[in-house]
Amino acid sequence: MQGYRKYFTKKLVWFLITFVVAVTLNFILPRLMPADPVSAITGKLAAGNSDAKAVQKIYDRYAEEFGTNKPMWQQYLLFVKNLFKGDFGTSFSQYPRKVSNIIASAIWWTVCLQLPAILVGWILGNVLGALAAYLRKGWDKVLLPVSIFLSNVPAFGMAVTLLVLFAIKWKIAPVAGGYAFDQIPNFSWAFIKSVISHYQLPFWSIVIISIGGQAIGMRSMSIYELNADYVKYARFLGVKDRKIVGYVFRNAMLPQVTGLALSIGTMIGGALVAEIIFSYPGLGSTMYAAVTAADYPLISATTLIITIMVLIVTLLLDIIYGFIDPRVKAAQFDA
Amino acid sequence: MKNNLIKKLISIVAVSAMTASLLAGCGAEEAAAPVAEPAATEEPAAEEPAPAEAEEPAAETAEGELPRDETLYFAGQQWGTVNSWNVIGVNQNNSMAIAGNASGYRTLMFETLYMYDPLSGKCFPLLADGDYQWNDDQTEMTVKIKDAAKWSDGSDVTGADVVRTFVIGVEIGNNTGATYGAYIDKIEADGKNITIYVAKTDEGKPVNPLFVVDFLTGTPIAQAAWIDTLYERCGGDATAILNDPGEDVVWSGPYKKYFTDDQKVVLERDDNYWGQDASMWGSLPVPKYIAHTIYADNPAGQAALQAGEVDVCQQFISNVQDLWEKDGLPISTYYEEAPYGVCLTMPTAWYNMNLPVLADNAALRKAIAMAVDYDSIIANAMTNQSPSFSDVPRSLMNPTDGEQALYDHDAVKDLQWAGNDIDGAIALLEEAGIKDSDGDGYREYNGEKISLNAVCPNGWTDWQAAMEIVAAAGEKIGVEITTLYPEWDIYQTVFVDPSQTEYAIFMWSPEAASPSNPWHRVNQFLGSEYVGVENNWSGNWGQYTNEEADKLIKQIPLTTDAAEIKDLYTKLTEIYLTEVPSFSLMYRPSVFHAVNESVWTNFPSADDGRNIPPLDCTDGYGIAALYGLELAE
């Protein structure tokens, strides 16, 4: 048990160090962009205003309000202080909306789009990959090239293809948005149906691509395992195929679980392309808009969410691995 | 064995697919939750039940559904979520309710005193009754407000509302205050009559009467009583007042807020609107709802227009004629033929005078401008949605008849150029001694190779195409011009910096059309008022100075004699075409206006005899279109 405690403490310390560095980078990186968001706000308000003095006054007022006229270290301290209060500040691009308010209204769309898509893609991909490895021949000959093709289609390419085919050409799916253009959110069947139909294209654009990658990974892992000595030995002993497939599947799964955990960790940013192309509401499009508008507080907040999720997921993985992976287990006890 | 496995496989795939749909459904319901809530709070519990005369009883409409034949859909106006309904605030990001300027304020919810019509250059009374009156020396203006004009709470719109709107604007520094505070000294009210006292210079002359007229068409009037409530709520704090969401705002226009979320904004007709009085429109606007889905980008908005989900589209659509000629869609524009829309502005390439090579060499500036192939820009970047510079020769004016009549065409004929004049440009450079002496194919100035960049924001594809053609022109005359496309947030930080030397030739559009134009635009092109100003969003981005031009520019607003005004503008045009501190690359509408007539029809068009400007049925006098819409068969 001693070994475990040491192992976990070490992981936790690294977690905290990474966290502090990540928060600092989250603060600094957006601010290194050679853009002045206060100028953008001023421009929106004052473009074409003939009285230049009045425009300067507007600029000064916002610089003061956002504190961008203060030295960087003061801004950083303020940022950290507010962070502890759960206050991400006020958005520049959607001023005067609070960042937390923007995120709260966007995050559910992303979670509800990404989580099922990641899970379905993962399950389907792994099942198909395992089958390809096991069945080989005809099935593999079809699946492997198809998987390689699918996993190499860029996300935007897949999204645009689906959009053009299903929405524009065949008109069997809606073009954009989270629900129909003639609906107003309510708990009617018509509205729910409209949300489901708007959900399909972004959902499948994510699923189809992830199926390919997962299937390839699972296939090679399974082939590797199928040729392992223990499988040959089990066959030699006359163990039933079903049982062997069970062993192989469990062993081949290990790296796939890591992959799943990481994609859940990064899911907030992962739907960016699908969200943008289908005008789907969510954190991905929010983040994209924030980056193009040099909206520091909003960029920091969204990237911080991703950072924290990835950190938590990797920490959890490390902990779980400590228990389930015999190699890690052995290493800890050796130490 | 294998059969078994395949069966298993099929069943697994089937189960997974079912799980997917199930999850999809689950996602849907969860997803609906966060947006459904504001719906309940946004709409103040149907304070006004649909009046009995409404053709379709509310009960027949499924809750939450907008009947297609009662809703006019827009695209290209609203980007991102609505921030507020506070008409005297800032950053409302509420394009359907609070948007626009003197060239055409969007009067769906809040109204201006007058509506501007860029086609005729006239101001049509809205809240005002009849024309405004100047005194002889243009120091005082009187306006009367219509007797019928009422607020949504039933009270009269009075002069006191105009006074309060202006006074609070100056006090808290909102758009009205910042834009007009320097030109209006004070406003006094007597019941429905107001007198505007124009700000004066030290010599006792009005600072600029043109901007006072802009105030009439560009300022949405807010209710004094509501402003007082807001003022009290915020304890008089300017920032708090500017940022208040204004959910309780009182309006005078034909529409009111109905619903907003991250994906759309909907306005509902106010059936008690005062404007149905015979002294104004005589009826209510036809669509019961005005809806704008928030699209991620232009292609999404255009796809919706093509799908018939959008009726009025304020977006640049490349090769717009293909939509009806090739795709056979019921889509149309103001003119059936090119340029399809009414061009009111001129996207312009500005020379950076902070760079000595450009500041010292008018010949170089003119040579580049002469060499550019504008026809190619107009054909490619604008897909012919602009008249050519042979049709409308370049000057300081936009292509409308009103502005074109303001200068003497013959007097400047020899100075104008239509473009692609490589020989002329080379001759000009040779004559000025700007030559290629080291034989590398590029010309030098003071012994150094001239190397310039042509810059516009990344993703602004039509401008990027134009910049490529400018660069190609440079190549043809031996001047190295490379293109540079920074992201918008960087671009806008640099080009408003008066001391920047990073961008040599860069794009921005001057003012389009409004009562203060073309004067305002001319001041942007040639006036030194903005030279050296930090965060310069106002004009003269290239930092050009010319004392003679300044003198002429100052005279115009105080001149009332038409012949004299024409003479002044002609002289300024001469200076502009000789000095070439900037050069326009194309003409362009200030708002695009493509309509899909599958649901609504009778939109304004050039030959319908109504003279309603194609301003998306919402801006300035363009709103008149809403009263003539008809349902398509």
Side-chain angles (χ1 to χ4, degrees):
Chain A
M1 244 11 236
Q2 184 69 28
Y4 267 125
R5 193 171 302 153
K6 213 166 137 196
Y7 173 75
F8 289 139
T9 319
K10 208 166 84 189
K11 291 284 169 200
L12 208 65
V13 169
W14 274 114
F15 175 84
L16 289 175
I17 293 172
T18 323
F19 181 71
V20 171
V21 173
V23 167
T24 311
L25 285 178
N26 271 328
F27 174 81
I28 295 174
L29 289 180
R31 284 165 180 79
L32 289 182
M33 292 197 288
D36 181 0
V38 176
S39 169
I41 296 181
T42 312
K44 258 200 275 185
L45 190 66
N49 191 322
S50 60
D51 183 5
K53 272 186 230 133
V55 177
Q56 189 54 35
K57 245 195 255 170
I58 295 171
Y59 180 89
D60 293 342
R61 189 175 73 214
Y62 284 120
E64 181 65 35
E65 202 173 330
F66 287 116
T68 48
N69 53 0
K70 293 196 182 80
M72 193 78 121
W73 63 271
Q74 278 188 19
Q75 293 184 47
Y76 180 65
L77 289 184
L78 197 70
F79 172 75
V80 173
K81 200 176 101 190
N82 287 337
L83 213 56
F84 278 110
K85 289 188 265 175
D87 178 6
F88 290 112
T90 308
S91 160
F92 286 1
S93 60
Q94 297 185 41
Y95 177 83
R97 251 182 116 188
K98 292 303 253 185
V99 168
S100 46
N101 173 282
I102 296 171
I103 291 180
S105 71
I107 197 164
W108 293 110
W109 289 97
T110 298
V111 171
C112 293
L113 173 66
Q114 276 281 57
L115 197 59
I118 289 172
L119 289 174
V120 170
W122 186 80
I123 294 170
L124 284 180
N126 280 310
V127 169
L128 293 177
L131 284 171
Y134 187 76
L135 295 177
R136 314 295 288 270
K137 290 188 184 143
W139 177 246
D140 191 27
K141 270 193 191 124
V142 177
L143 187 94
L144 186 65
V146 169
S147 295
I148 290 175
F149 175 74
L150 287 182
S151 64
N152 281 300
V153 175
F156 69 87
M158 178 60 72
V160 169
T161 310
L162 291 185
L163 180 74
V164 169
L165 289 182
F166 290 92
I168 294 174
K169 213 169 158 94
W170 299 326
K171 296 189 192 328
I172 51 176
V175 175
Y179 57 83
F181 73 104
D182 58 354
Q183 287 285 334
I184 283 180
N186 62 94
F187 284 107
S188 68
W189 177 234
F191 177 70
I192 292 169
K193 222 166 60 182
S194 135
V195 171
I196 293 176
S197 72
H198 281 76
Y199 188 80
Q200 298 304 324
L201 288 189
F203 174 79
W204 289 108
S205 76
I206 299 171
V207 170
I208 293 173
I209 286 178
S210 59
I211 287 179
Q214 296 290 352
I216 295 171
M218 187 62 184
R219 176 186 166 278
S220 23
M221 278 313 296
S222 301
I223 289 176
Y224 172 78
E225 292 290 337
L226 278 170
N227 292 323
D229 290 346
Y230 73 91
V231 175
K232 287 182 185 152
Y233 185 62
R235 283 221 170 102
F236 181 67
L237 286 181
V239 177
K240 276 187 183 162
D241 258 20
R242 180 175 300 190
K243 192 108 185 157
I244 296 176
V245 170
Y247 289 141
V248 167
F249 195 74
R250 212 182 309 158
N251 279 334
M253 277 312 285
L254 227 51
Q256 299 298 100
V257 170
T258 315
L260 173 68
L262 283 178
S263 37
I264 289 178
T266 52
M267 79 177 164
I268 299 296
L272 197 127
V273 171
E275 284 180 9
I276 290 167
I277 289 177
F278 295 105
S279 303
Y280 203 77
L283 221 49
S285 20
T286 306
M287 194 159 71
Y288 177 71
V291 171
T292 49
D295 188 342
Y296 309 149
L298 194 50
I299 299 174
S300 293
T302 43
T303 47
L304 196 64
I305 290 177
I306 298 174
T307 316
I308 292 174
M309 283 183 66
V310 173
L311 280 177
I312 290 176
V313 164
T314 37
L315 182 73
L316 286 179
L317 268 181
D318 279 341
I319 293 173
I320 294 169
Y321 262 49
F323 289 108
I324 62 168
D325 191 330
R327 283 162 295 189
V328 177
K329 210 178 197 171
Q332 295 316 312
F333 282 107
D334 284 350
Chain B
M1 178 74 200
K2 265 193 188 160
N3 261 350
N4 219 357
L5 260 170
I6 288 167
K7 261 188 210 161
K8 219 181 210 176
L9 168 76
I10 292 169
S11 62
I12 287 171
V13 172
V15 168
S16 304
M18 279 166 66
T19 320
S21 329
L22 198 70
L23 283 168
C26 152
E29 272 172 286
E30 275 180 61
V35 283
E37 250 171 77
T41 46
E42 286 277 340
E43 198 190 350
E47 47 178 7
E48 282 171 281
E53 74 237 31
E55 277 175 34
E56 193 170 358
E60 269 182 41
T61 312
E63 191 207 332
E65 210 168 311
L66 296 171
R68 188 65 184 91
D69 58 359
E70 292 183 33
T71 313
L72 188 66
Y73 285 95
F74 288 80
Q77 317 261 37
Q78 179 74 33
W79 302 101
T81 318
V82 166
N83 283 338
S84 95
W85 297 88
N86 176 2
V87 65
I88 62 162
V90 284
N91 283 299
Q92 298 96 340
N93 195 37
N94 195 339
S95 294
M96 297 318 285
I98 306 166
N101 48 39
S103 64
Y105 198 85
R106 201 156 295 153
T107 50
L108 291 170
M109 190 161 161
F110 301 100
E111 298 184 305
T112 48
L113 290 165
Y114 289 85
M115 299 171 282
Y116 185 64
D117 173 17
L119 293 181
S120 64
K122 276 189 204 152
C123 297
F124 289 87
L126 183 58
L127 286 172
D129 192 5
D131 292 339
Y132 55 84
Q133 304 293 334
W134 278 113
N135 67 351
D136 287 342
D137 54 0
Q138 296 199 93
T139 51
E140 283 174 33
M141 174 196 265
T142 47
V143 177
K144 185 180 179 307
I145 289 167
K146 278 200 183 74
D147 288 333
K150 293 222 168 12
W151 294 105
S152 53
D153 63 6
S155 63
D156 271 0
V157 178
T158 66
D161 296 314
V162 181
V163 175
R164 192 81 182 98
T165 301
F166 177 71
V167 170
I168 189 81
V170 173
E171 184 181 335
I172 61 177
N174 68 7
N175 206 18
T176 301
T179 311
Y180 304 110
Y183 309 105
I184 295 174
D185 183 34
K186 62 176 177 177
I187 305 178
E188 282 179 359
D190 174 20
K192 289 251 178 192
N193 297 302
I194 56 169
T195 308
I196 300 174
Y197 295 90
V198 181
K200 290 181 202 155
T201 60
D202 294 341
E203 299 96 59
K205 288 182 176 164
V207 173
N208 192 328
L210 293 172
F211 284 116
V212 179
V213 185
D214 267 8
F215 171 81
L216 304 178
T217 62
T219 305
I221 304 302
Q223 191 196 39
W226 177 76
I227 295 175
D228 292 339
T229 311
L230 176 61
Y231 196 87
E232 229 165 86
R233 179 161 74 218
C234 300
D237 177 56
T239 310
I241 297 173
L242 290 170
N243 293 342
D244 190 277
E247 291 290 338
D248 59 343
V249 74
V250 177
W251 63 94
S252 68
Y255 289 88
K256 57 183 173 179
K257 69 186 157 91
Y258 181 67
F259 173 78
T260 69
D261 70 358
D262 289 356
Q263 293 180 63
K264 64 164 53 93
V265 49
V266 184
L267 303 182
E268 184 192 22
R269 192 176 57 208
D270 180 351
D271 289 344
N272 296 317
Y273 174 50
W274 70 270
Q276 57 195 303
D277 186 84
S279 65
M280 190 60 231
W281 304 106
S283 68
L284 287 170
V286 180
K288 184 165 166 61
Y289 300 98
I290 296 285
H292 192 307
T293 305
I294 298 166
Y295 297 100
D297 49 21
N298 277 352
Q302 189 184 327
L305 173 77
Q306 286 171 251
E309 293 177 5
V310 163
D311 302 305
V312 182
C313 182
Q314 198 293 103
Q315 287 179 190
F316 172 68
I317 299 171
S318 132
N319 289 310
V320 66
Q321 72 282 3
D322 284 355
L323 296 179
W324 60 88
E325 283 176 5
K326 290 191 182 155
D327 303 342
L329 294 169
I331 290 175
S332 61
T333 45
Y334 188 70
Y335 296 112
E336 268 179 49
E337 306 289 332
Y340 306 106
V342 175
C343 291
L344 297 175
T345 183
M346 319 108 93
T348 294
W350 305 76
Y351 286 120
N352 186 348
M353 297 296 171
N354 293 329
L355 302 173
V357 61
L358 288 172
D360 299 348
N361 293 302
L364 174 65
R365 301 197 297 262
K366 183 148 184 171
I368 296 172
M370 282 165 68
V372 172
D373 184 354
Y374 301 99
D375 288 343
S376 171
I377 291 179
I378 288 164
N380 296 307
M382 281 300 286
T383 60
N384 290 319
Q385 293 174 55
S386 159
S388 74
F389 286 99
S390 324
D391 297 339
V392 183
R394 63 179 56 248
S395 64
L396 293 157
M397 308 299 166
N398 73 20
T400 56
D401 295 343
E403 284 202 13
Q404 286 295 317
L406 283 173
Y407 78 99
D408 181 349
H409 289 231
D410 290 333
V412 299
K413 213 173 185 173
D414 296 338
L415 295 169
Q416 289 165 323
W417 63 93
N420 206 13
D421 180 5
I422 307 299
D423 296 339
I426 290 175
L428 200 60
L429 288 171
E430 293 288 328
E431 195 186 322
I434 302 172
K435 297 184 177 170
D436 172 21
S437 39
D438 59 6
D440 67 347
Y442 293 109
R443 292 166 196 276
E444 293 94 38
Y445 173 64
N446 285 347
E448 260 181 64
K449 183 169 101 171
I450 301 172
S451 179
L452 305 168
N453 58 14
V455 196
C456 76
N458 188 29
W460 297 31
T461 47
D462 45 338
W463 283 20
Q464 283 175 278
M467 289 285 95
E468 289 298 336
I469 292 167
V470 170
E475 192 68 32
K476 285 182 201 157
I477 59 168
V479 175
E480 185 181 66
I481 302 177
T482 50
T483 53
L484 174 69
Y485 307 125
E487 289 305 314
W488 160 242
D489 53 335
I490 293 167
Y491 184 82
Q492 56 91 11
T493 304
V494 176
F495 97 94
V496 300
D497 175 358
S499 54
Q500 66 97 0
T501 51
E502 289 170 53
Y503 303 165
I505 305 171
F506 56 97
M507 279 189 78
W508 198 242
S509 290
E511 284 291 294
S514 77
S516 66
N517 277 300
W519 181 86
H520 191 173
R521 186 185 320 117
V522 172
N523 193 32
Q524 289 183 315
F525 276 134
L526 293 169
S528 62
E529 188 183 341
Y530 308 123
V531 171
V533 171
E534 292 293 329
N535 294 297
N536 174 20
W537 285 93
S538 303
N540 199 345
W541 291 280
Q543 310 290 310
Y544 172 77
T545 47
N546 183 315
E547 277 179 26
E548 196 197 340
D550 281 341
K551 236 185 275 164
L552 298 169
I553 288 170
K554 279 201 183 110
Q555 285 178 39
I556 294 175
L558 308 177
T559 310
T560 44
D561 180 64
E564 213 175 312
I565 289 176
K566 186 168 174 173
D567 184 46
L568 289 167
Y569 277 130
T570 307
K571 282 185 183 146
L572 282 161
T573 308
E574 277 169 11
I575 294 175
Y576 183 66
L577 295 177
T578 312
E579 286 283 297
V580 200
S582 60
F583 58 102
S584 300
L585 296 163
M586 56 185 110
Y587 296 107
R588 196 180 161 95
S590 56
V591 292
F592 289 96
H593 175 100
V595 296
N596 185 321
E597 298 191 82
S598 53
V599 177
W600 297 101
T601 180
N602 204 28
F603 289 97
S605 66
D607 48 9
D608 65 4
R610 294 184 292 170
N611 293 321
I612 298 174
L615 298 174
D616 290 332
C617 315
T618 52
D619 299 358
Y621 185 59
I623 199 171
L626 285 184
Y627 296 83
L629 290 184
E630 290 162 9
L631 280 173
E633 285 305 313

